[in-house]
Amino acid sequence: MMPPRNPADLIRERSIVVCVGTGGVGKTTVAAALALAAARMGRKTLVLTIDPAKRLADAMGIRELGNEPQRVQLREDESEFELYAMMLDTKRTFDAVIARFAPDDASHRRILDNPIYQHVSGALAGSGEYAAMEKVLEMSESGRFDLVVVDTPPAQHLLDFLDAPKRLVEFLDSRLVRLLVHPAVTAGRFGVRLFQRPVQGVLQLVERLTGVGFLEDLAAFLKAIDDMSDGFKQRANRIQKTLLGSDAAFVLVAGPGRESSYNAELFLEHLDEAHASVQGVVINRMHLWPGSQPPPRDLAAGRVARRDLEQLATALGDPAAAEAAAAATSEYAHEALRDYENTRVLCGRAERSGCFFRMVPEQSRDISDLEGLSQIASELLIGSEVAT
């Protein structure tokens, strides 16, 4: 598949688009705007957020989102277009994964009712991120949507997100689990004496504190997980193959600040190492200068030619107003030049990689409705022959 030349090609051709980036750069807004634009192209689109904060619902002006796709009400003249949104419920999704791999209903019920599972299912290595990936694959393969746009959690969780299937498989194959499973299963039948002596002491103490059923619960939990490990591994490999396949693409979203741009460069390196297909870089909340060139450095430094200032005073009929206008223009030019310089490295890297590079200007208000999202979509798809 040819690399997309712009965001319009991306959302028209791919079936999974994953938006990644650091926290607070407007990643959720960009994901929602891309999804809105895709829906208006006639693609049945789902935007799925894995961010536990309710930013997606806020951006779309929806009170609350759940673990199932919810249709978004578009304008009256857009009733033929279908846009859905949902927010991942990690615990419910992981419970569904257990249901998928349990050999029968009784086994499924037994592990969901297991007190150990109820307490640690959210803390197993990679379980939350694995559940997220599982939901992305489930929605993508359901046949219900042409495109799934994924809004990932903030930066510090990105690698967890990408590595989740691999880390869960590594956990199931780990020496710790191997060491625990078999003694635990045996001990569940014959008693705590079959554990190693240090483990015996810990378990006996825990049993005294929690009740006599702890050992049986532990054995049942570890045995059940062990029985399902092959299913987890096969599914994890499938998830990773889909995410890194030709139908999926990643879009990096960053802010124009120096630190954000630096972090974005690190992100690109991590994504390259993970063999993720990065197809676009979006810089959000830019101070943009009219035209294709950056603002003049003299103006950004507050140096306005006397002749220009006199002409402005003549035009306005007020020298004081001319001074104020020149000062405001210089201040904005300073911000625009700063943003331009901060993002040059990212722009160059995107161009060398064949990615599209888009700059979305700072908005005058928070994005909290479809009208605001439409404005962001217009900025993203500018130059494309797509109605937004």
Side-chain angles (χ1 to χ4, degrees):
M1 183 178 292
M2 292 289 290
R5 297 178 300 279
N6 54 56
D9 289 340
L10 181 80
I11 58 178
R12 184 184 290 115
E13 297 168 359
R14 303 300 173 103
S15 58
I16 300 175
V17 172
V18 184
C19 293
V20 298
T22 56
V25 296
K27 174 167 46 63
T28 300
T29 301
V30 170
L34 287 172
L36 176 61
R40 286 173 171 167
M41 288 178 178
R43 301 200 80 193
K44 191 174 179 181
T45 303
L46 167 69
V47 55
L48 186 164
T49 184
I50 300 172
D51 192 334
K54 296 182 177 179
R55 296 188 182 93
L56 180 60
D58 293 342
M60 294 188 139
I62 298 173
R63 179 176 297 178
E64 193 169 357
L65 289 172
N67 200 46
E68 294 298 325
Q70 174 181 332
R71 186 164 182 175
V72 178
Q73 190 70 42
L74 301 179
R75 296 188 310 239
E76 288 186 7
D77 61 341
E78 297 177 325
S79 59
E80 76 272 28
F81 300 136
E82 295 187 63
L83 174 63
Y84 295 79
M86 65 177 287
M87 186 172 75
L88 180 75
D89 182 327
T90 303
K91 179 69 168 63
R92 285 180 58 189
T93 302
F94 200 70
D95 287 351
V97 172
I98 295 296
R100 180 193 301 275
F101 296 131
D104 50 54
D105 290 344
S107 301
H108 173 215
R109 195 66 261 162
R110 207 161 39 241
I111 194 166
L112 288 191
D113 291 340
N114 186 294
I116 303 296
Y117 172 79
Q118 291 174 3
H119 282 90
V120 306
S121 59
L124 279 174
S127 64
E129 293 81 7
Y130 178 89
M133 289 290 79
E134 177 69 28
K135 182 59 76 174
V136 172
L137 184 65
E138 177 191 335
M139 290 295 113
S140 176
E141 292 185 340
S142 68
R144 298 173 59 187
F145 304 103
D146 301 316
L147 171 66
V148 177
V149 180
V150 184
D151 168 38
T152 58
Q156 60 269 30
H157 301 302
L158 171 67
L159 295 183
D160 290 345
F161 178 80
L162 286 174
D163 291 342
K166 178 183 172 186
R167 289 195 303 120
L168 189 60
V169 167
E170 287 176 348
F171 169 75
L172 294 172
D173 280 340
S174 69
R175 191 177 174 198
L176 174 64
V177 172
R178 296 292 107 193
L179 287 173
L180 284 174
V181 166
H182 299 296
V185 172
T186 307
R189 294 198 298 269
F190 299 109
V192 71
R193 67 182 182 280
L194 293 184
F195 279 98
Q196 296 295 319
R197 188 172 297 279
V199 181
Q200 282 184 31
V202 173
L203 291 178
Q204 287 169 341
L205 173 61
V206 173
E207 285 206 341
R208 282 201 299 275
L209 294 173
T210 62
V212 294
F214 175 80
L215 187 57
E216 291 180 1
D217 292 338
L218 176 64
F221 169 68
L222 291 175
K223 178 65 166 58
I225 288 290
D226 191 51
D227 286 346
M228 294 188 294
S229 63
D230 286 344
F232 272 116
K233 290 173 195 171
Q234 292 173 11
R235 189 73 174 176
N237 289 333
R238 193 166 163 186
I239 289 171
Q240 202 154 40
K241 188 175 180 181
T242 299
L243 203 62
L244 302 180
S246 59
D247 280 338
F250 288 74
V251 173
L252 175 67
V253 184
R258 182 174 298 174
E259 183 176 354
S260 179
S261 298
Y262 174 74
N263 289 333
E265 291 175 46
L266 295 180
F267 256 68
L268 286 175
E269 292 177 8
H270 290 317
L271 289 166
D272 283 346
E273 290 170 2
H275 305 292
S277 174
V278 182
Q279 295 297 328
V281 175
V282 175
I283 307 297
N284 193 28
R285 299 171 183 157
M286 283 283 291
H287 293 88
L288 294 177
W289 191 252
S292 59
Q293 299 299 316
R297 290 188 177 277
D298 281 349
L299 181 60
R303 296 188 289 270
V304 180
R306 174 57 55 187
R307 184 182 60 186
D308 293 338
L309 199 56
E310 289 173 352
Q311 289 179 346
L312 184 60
T314 300
L316 295 175
D318 184 343
E323 292 279 357
T329 304
S330 290
E331 182 179 349
Y332 187 83
H334 171 75
E335 293 173 334
L337 183 61
R338 177 200 60 198
D339 289 357
Y340 172 83
E341 292 179 340
N342 285 341
T343 56
R344 281 306 83 197
V345 173
L346 278 174
C347 178
R349 186 159 181 168
E351 288 175 353
R352 289 192 299 276
S353 302
C355 299
F356 65 75
F357 183 80
R358 282 289 186 278
M359 296 180 289
V360 177
E362 173 84 359
Q363 303 296 305
S364 58
R365 65 180 180 89
D366 290 338
I367 304 301
S368 58
D369 53 30
L370 292 176
E371 183 181 350
L373 283 181
S374 294
Q375 180 60 37
I376 300 297
S378 297
E379 300 289 349
L380 288 168
L381 272 62
I382 192 166
S384 305
E385 295 179 358
V386 178
T388 56

